[in-house]
Amino acid sequence: MSKYLVTGGAGFIGSNLVERLVEDGNDVVIVDDLSMGKIENLDCIPKKHITFYKRSITDFGFMSRLLITEKFDYIVLLGAVASVADSVDRPAETHSINQEANINVYETIRKHALRVKKVLFASSAAVYGDDPVLPKKETSNIVPLTPYAIDKFSSERYAIVYGKLYDIPTVCTRFFNVYGPRQNPESPYSGVLSIVQSCLKTGKTFKLFGDGEQTRDFTYIDDVIDALLLLLSTPEAKWDVYNVATGKRTSLNSVIDSFEKATGKELDIVYAEKRKGDIKDSFADVTKLKGLGYMPKYDIESGLKKYLELTVRD
Ligand code: NAD
Ligand code: UD1
């Protein structure tokens, strides 16, 4: 049994991770301000094994005290404003959450010489921006187009540099576009497939930014959780960054088409201008992670099928 800290643990990826960690016999402390996450996301998890703090990770004093007193074995930094578009609207505010709060964690570990088995920081495919070379390898050019991408890149570099300088076992993931149950569809800044799913269900109009020909490497949540557990439990995965994706490229139009076929419903679409800073094409080379034993189990069809099966009773 190990003790974990998961920031953003009431969010989409966080709550799915916490569920698996508790199933595997661990205790988990969660810090989430519920700005996007939901306490109900934790309903199915036995309360005995989780401690929840509704706090902001930008409360540096609180976070430092928590790290010093709890002495976590593993720390997973998922707490963030996950929307690229939101960072374009609120660059300074999102910077303190998406970058400064993470440095506070690394700095507390350094200053107090805390012994941690692994610190994992969730970075993003957004760091690759619009560089035309595809698929994106970990060695590809970094072309951040938004405050979100800058903060993700900076936080991952700090994780690696703090790791090497002060001997802290850090590792970073660059998630591509993750989808699945518990992704909150309620904000205009939500992940696109959660919004599509919700619009199909309720009959609301979906606003499509651009022509729908933008492509993404849509990745089902279960594959992401497998990747996280693999990286946390592999000591050699240290001071490094790994793409986490399916390795397949799908356009938004085509994924909407698949949703419509799977549900037998037609999405009511209104078109709008492409969003500022939006990436045109994104998909991953996952050879590096496969080298550690990762094998994605879902393609877009099987992922959507499972997503729809699990959300139909919501
Ligand atoms: P999410 O919004 O569901 O989860 C983020 C969580 O962080 C939310 O529960 C939110 O309430 C919480 N949070 C936000 N600001 C906070 C603050 N100041 N203090 C405490 N908690 C705060 O998004 P997600 O999809 O689960 O993303 C998890 C992580 O993975 C994020 O760091 C995101 O940037 C990264 N990521 C996600 C994707 C994706 O496709 N979903 C891809 C790349 C990277
Ligand atoms: C997503 C993630 C981000 C992650 C990145 C990695 C979210 C909210 N964003 O960003 O955390 O770092 O992948 O690749 O989880 N769109 C519409 N209509 C909508 C919403 C979106 O047309 O209502 C379009 C967007 O303009 C974009 C595409 O759908 O072209 C995907 O948008 P979004 O789900 O926000 O994802 P990314 O910006 O790729």
Coordinates of all heavy atoms in Angstrom, one line a residue, residues 278-309:
D278 N -5.6 27.8 -31.9 CA -6.0 26.4 -32.1 C -5.0 25.6 -33.0 O -4.6 26.2 -34.0 CB -7.4 26.3 -32.7 CG -8.1 24.9 -32.6 OD1 -8.0 24.3 -31.4 OD2 -8.6 24.4 -33.6
I279 N -4.7 24.4 -32.7 CA -3.8 23.6 -33.5 C -4.5 23.0 -34.6 O -5.6 22.5 -34.4 CB -3.1 22.6 -32.6 CG1 -2.1 23.3 -31.6 CG2 -2.3 21.5 -33.4 CD1 -1.5 22.4 -30.5
K280 N -4.0 22.9 -35.8 CA -4.7 22.3 -36.9 C -4.6 20.8 -36.8 O -5.6 20.1 -36.8 CB -4.1 22.9 -38.2 CG -4.6 22.2 -39.5 CD -6.0 22.7 -39.8 CE -6.5 22.2 -41.2 NZ -6.8 20.8 -41.3
D281 N -3.4 20.3 -36.8 CA -3.2 18.8 -36.8 C -2.3 18.3 -35.6 O -1.3 18.9 -35.4 CB -2.6 18.4 -38.1 CG -3.5 18.7 -39.3 OD1 -4.6 18.2 -39.3 OD2 -3.1 19.4 -40.2
S282 N -2.8 17.2 -35.0 CA -2.0 16.7 -33.9 C -2.2 15.2 -33.8 O -3.3 14.7 -33.7 CB -2.5 17.4 -32.6 OG -2.0 16.7 -31.5
F283 N -1.1 14.5 -34.0 CA -1.1 13.1 -33.5 C 0.3 12.6 -33.2 O 1.3 13.2 -33.6 CB -1.9 12.2 -34.5 CG -1.1 11.6 -35.7 CD1 -0.7 10.3 -35.6 CD2 -0.8 12.4 -36.8 CE1 0.0 9.7 -36.7 CE2 -0.1 11.8 -37.8 CZ 0.3 10.5 -37.8
A284 N 0.3 11.5 -32.5 CA 1.5 11.1 -31.7 C 2.3 9.9 -32.3 O 1.6 9.0 -32.8 CB 1.2 10.8 -30.3
D285 N 3.6 9.9 -32.1 CA 4.4 8.7 -32.2 C 4.5 8.2 -30.8 O 5.0 9.0 -29.9 CB 5.7 9.1 -32.8 CG 6.6 7.9 -33.0 OD1 6.6 7.0 -32.1 OD2 7.3 7.8 -34.0
V286 N 4.0 7.0 -30.5 CA 4.1 6.5 -29.1 C 5.1 5.4 -28.9 O 5.1 4.6 -28.0 CB 2.7 6.1 -28.6 CG1 1.8 7.2 -28.2 CG2 2.0 5.2 -29.6
T287 N 6.1 5.4 -29.9 CA 7.1 4.3 -29.8 C 7.9 4.3 -28.5 O 8.1 3.3 -27.9 CB 8.2 4.6 -30.9 OG1 7.5 4.7 -32.2 CG2 9.2 3.5 -31.0
K288 N 8.1 5.5 -27.9 CA 8.9 5.6 -26.7 C 8.2 4.9 -25.5 O 8.8 4.1 -24.8 CB 9.2 7.1 -26.4 CG 10.2 7.3 -25.3 CD 10.6 8.7 -25.3 CE 11.4 9.1 -24.0 NZ 11.7 10.5 -24.0
L289 N 6.9 5.2 -25.4 CA 6.1 4.6 -24.3 C 5.9 3.1 -24.6 O 5.9 2.3 -23.6 CB 4.8 5.3 -24.2 CG 4.0 5.0 -22.9 CD1 4.8 5.4 -21.7 CD2 2.7 5.8 -22.9
K290 N 5.8 2.7 -25.8 CA 5.6 1.3 -26.1 C 6.9 0.5 -25.7 O 6.8 -0.6 -25.3 CB 5.3 1.1 -27.6 CG 3.9 1.4 -28.0 CD 3.7 1.1 -29.5 CE 2.2 1.3 -29.8 NZ 2.0 1.2 -31.3
G291 N 8.0 1.2 -25.8 CA 9.3 0.6 -25.3 C 9.2 0.2 -23.8 O 10.0 -0.6 -23.4
L292 N 8.4 0.8 -23.1 CA 8.2 0.5 -21.7 C 7.1 -0.6 -21.5 O 6.9 -1.0 -20.3 CB 7.9 1.7 -20.8 CG 8.9 2.8 -20.7 CD1 8.3 4.0 -19.8 CD2 10.2 2.4 -20.2
G293 N 6.4 -1.0 -22.5 CA 5.4 -2.0 -22.5 C 4.0 -1.5 -22.7 O 3.0 -2.2 -22.5
Y294 N 3.8 -0.2 -23.0 CA 2.5 0.4 -23.2 C 1.9 -0.1 -24.5 O 2.6 -0.2 -25.5 CB 2.6 1.9 -23.3 CG 1.4 2.7 -23.7 CD1 0.3 2.8 -22.9 CD2 1.3 3.2 -25.0 CE1 -0.9 3.5 -23.3 CE2 0.2 4.0 -25.4 CZ -0.9 4.1 -24.6 OH -2.0 4.8 -25.0
M295 N 0.6 -0.5 -24.5 CA 0.0 -0.9 -25.7 C -1.5 -0.4 -25.6 O -2.3 -0.9 -24.8 CB 0.0 -2.4 -25.8 CG -0.4 -2.9 -27.2 SD 0.3 -2.1 -28.6 CE 2.0 -2.7 -28.5
P296 N -1.8 0.7 -26.4 CA -3.2 1.2 -26.4 C -4.2 0.1 -26.8 O -4.0 -0.6 -27.7 CB -3.2 2.4 -27.3 CG -1.9 2.3 -28.1 CD -1.0 1.4 -27.4
K297 N -5.3 0.0 -26.0 CA -6.3 -1.0 -26.3 C -7.4 -0.6 -27.1 O -8.2 -1.3 -27.6 CB -6.8 -1.6 -24.9 CG -5.7 -2.2 -24.1 CD -6.4 -3.0 -22.9 CE -5.4 -3.5 -21.9 NZ -4.9 -2.5 -20.9
Y298 N -7.6 0.8 -27.2 CA -8.8 1.3 -27.8 C -8.5 2.1 -29.1 O -7.6 3.0 -29.0 CB -9.6 2.2 -26.8 CG -10.2 1.5 -25.7 CD1 -9.4 1.2 -24.5 CD2 -11.4 0.9 -25.7 CE1 -9.9 0.5 -23.5 CE2 -12.0 0.2 -24.7 CZ -11.2 0.0 -23.5 OH -11.7 -0.7 -22.5
D299 N -9.3 1.9 -30.1 CA -9.2 2.8 -31.2 C -10.5 3.7 -31.1 O -11.3 3.5 -30.1 CB -9.2 2.1 -32.6 CG -10.3 1.1 -32.8 OD1 -11.4 1.3 -32.1 OD2 -10.3 0.3 -33.7
I300 N -10.7 4.6 -32.0 CA -11.8 5.5 -31.8 C -13.2 4.8 -31.7 O -14.0 5.2 -30.9 CB -11.8 6.7 -32.8 CG1 -12.7 7.8 -32.4 CG2 -12.0 6.3 -34.2 CD1 -12.2 8.7 -31.3
E301 N -13.4 3.8 -32.6 CA -14.7 3.1 -32.6 C -14.9 2.4 -31.2 O -16.0 2.6 -30.6 CB -14.8 2.1 -33.7 CG -15.4 2.6 -35.0 CD -14.4 3.6 -35.7 OE1 -13.2 3.4 -35.6 OE2 -14.9 4.6 -36.2
S302 N -13.9 1.6 -30.8 CA -14.1 0.9 -29.5 C -14.2 1.8 -28.3 O -14.9 1.6 -27.4 CB -13.1 -0.2 -29.3 OG -11.8 0.3 -29.4
G303 N -13.4 2.9 -28.4 CA -13.4 3.9 -27.3 C -14.8 4.6 -27.2 O -15.4 4.7 -26.1
L304 N -15.3 5.0 -28.4 CA -16.6 5.7 -28.4 C -17.7 4.7 -27.9 O -18.6 5.1 -27.2 CB -17.0 6.2 -29.8 CG -16.3 7.4 -30.3 CD1 -16.9 7.8 -31.6 CD2 -16.4 8.6 -29.3
K305 N -17.6 3.5 -28.3 CA -18.6 2.5 -27.9 C -18.6 2.4 -26.4 O -19.7 2.4 -25.8 CB -18.2 1.1 -28.6 CG -19.3 0.1 -28.4 CD -19.0 -1.1 -29.4 CE -19.9 -2.2 -29.1 NZ -19.5 -3.1 -28.0
K306 N -17.5 2.2 -25.8 CA -17.4 2.1 -24.3 C -17.9 3.4 -23.7 O -18.6 3.3 -22.7 CB -16.0 1.7 -23.9 CG -16.0 1.4 -22.4 CD -14.8 0.5 -22.0 CE -14.9 0.2 -20.6 NZ -13.6 -0.2 -20.0
Y307 N -17.5 4.5 -24.2 CA -17.9 5.8 -23.6 C -19.4 5.9 -23.6 O -20.0 6.3 -22.6 CB -17.2 6.9 -24.5 CG -17.5 8.3 -24.0 CD1 -17.8 8.7 -22.7 CD2 -17.3 9.4 -24.9 CE1 -18.0 10.0 -22.3 CE2 -17.5 10.7 -24.6 CZ -17.8 11.0 -23.3 OH -18.0 12.3 -22.9
L308 N -20.0 5.6 -24.8 CA -21.5 5.7 -24.9 C -22.2 4.7 -23.9 O -23.2 5.0 -23.3 CB -21.9 5.5 -26.3 CG -21.5 6.7 -27.2 CD1 -21.7 6.4 -28.7 CD2 -22.3 7.9 -26.8
E309 N -21.6 3.5 -23.9 CA -22.2 2.5 -23.0 C -22.2 3.0 -21.5 O -23.2 2.8 -20.8 CB -21.4 1.2 -23.0 CG -21.8 0.2 -24.1 CD -20.7 -0.8 -24.3 OE1 -19.9 -1.1 -23.4 OE2 -20.7 -1.4 -25.4

